[in-house]
Amino acid sequence: MGGIHQSHETAKYYTYERMGEIYQLLKPDILCVETEQKYVEDGSFRGTPYDFINFLIPLAQKEQTPIYGIDWWDNEQGEKWQELQRKAYNDTTLNQEINFIGGFFSLFNGYFKNKDFKEINSSYITRLWKAKSEFKYHIFNHYPEYAFITDFENERNDHIVENILKVIAENSGKNILIAIGIDHKYYIEDKLEENGVIVYQVEELEQFAE
């Protein structure tokens, strides 16, 4: 389940409440969510995106569904990543490329306002998001100063995949719902499938609602 974070607030259909409805429809055995495991264990869910903490986590807790935090973060590297992003997006030598990437985001946000879960989480949108990210990485990798942005994002995604694979190994045969920001979705799906994990697309989810 790809979340669109703050964009849920302006969405006509894919609202925070809608995410809760989808969770109840799917009735997963396990919920993996974009937060660090230590914040699941201490019950704070610190740093968890609002779209997940607002409905999904309370529903899982109410139904006593096991929750696993799958995110990874390093404060020092994260601060460097944030600073480099700010610098790159204000770098006048990258104006055309940054505006192009920004245009992608604007188009996505406009599309998301009037579309529901199935459209936003479709394989077509996931592939488009992958193309956007790969273009961004292509640009940043041409500038040694900004290559760290790509390295850090890929490292984070790799840790997320590793954490998910651990959950799968510990819960064989269980249906696992992964609630993650849509920016991570394509990478995680690709890596899980490379590892032989069955990843269900939105067109295949009706079987879980029976």
Side-chain angles (χ1 to χ4, degrees), residues 177-190:
L177 177 62
I178 300 169
I180 195 79
I182 200 165
D183 196 37
H184 307 276
K185 185 173 181 285
Y186 79 90
Y187 192 99
I188 291 169
E189 287 186 353
D190 286 350

Side-chain angles (χ1 to χ4, degrees), residues 30 72 74 140 197:
I30 304 287
W72 171 88
D74 178 275
F140 288 159
V197 176

